[in-house]
Amino acid sequence: MLPLDPQADIGRRAWVACPNCDDRRGCGTCEQGRTCSEHWRYLLSNVGSLLHLQCRSCTHIWTHETHFGATRSPWERITSGFLRRP
């Protein structure tokens, strides 16, 4: 288990399913797509629509592309491992 990242701040949160533990499974609030007071993630940083997250349950760190709002340039998508969709 990883330690909590120094950038983790309870004031910066996101409600995205953890790909490692999926701890929100079975939670009625999460299944309704509402913001749950228990199953949120630390939002460590973001670059446009790419979020860097840490799960508060299992401390797993991952990136999540939202494809929403301010997006990165095509070059940034290619170099970060995300190819531009046609």
Side-chain angles (χ1 to χ4, degrees):
M1 184 179 282
L2 295 170
L4 196 58
D5 189 279
Q7 297 296 318
D9 178 6
I10 195 169
R12 291 178 44 93
R13 297 179 283 179
W15 284 263
V16 177
C18 176
N20 189 53
C21 70
D22 196 21
D23 61 346
R24 68 184 204 160
R25 182 178 298 199
C27 174
T29 305
C30 291
E31 289 175 355
Q32 292 175 2
R34 297 175 25 221
T35 54
C36 177
S37 62
E38 293 183 39
H39 303 113
W40 51 267
R41 315 300 170 208
Y42 288 106
L43 176 59
L44 303 177
S45 65
N46 71 294
V47 178
S49 59
L50 185 67
L51 309 179
H52 304 281
L53 304 164
Q54 184 170 26
C55 179
R56 69 185 207 128
S57 297
C58 70
T59 67
H60 177 69
I61 296 175
W62 77 101
T63 58
H64 175 76
E65 175 61 65
T66 65
H67 300 287
F68 181 79
T71 57
R72 294 165 291 124
S73 72
W75 176 249
E76 288 174 317
R77 287 181 187 270
I78 291 169
T79 58
S80 69
F82 293 98
L83 297 176
R84 189 174 186 185
R85 294 182 178 178

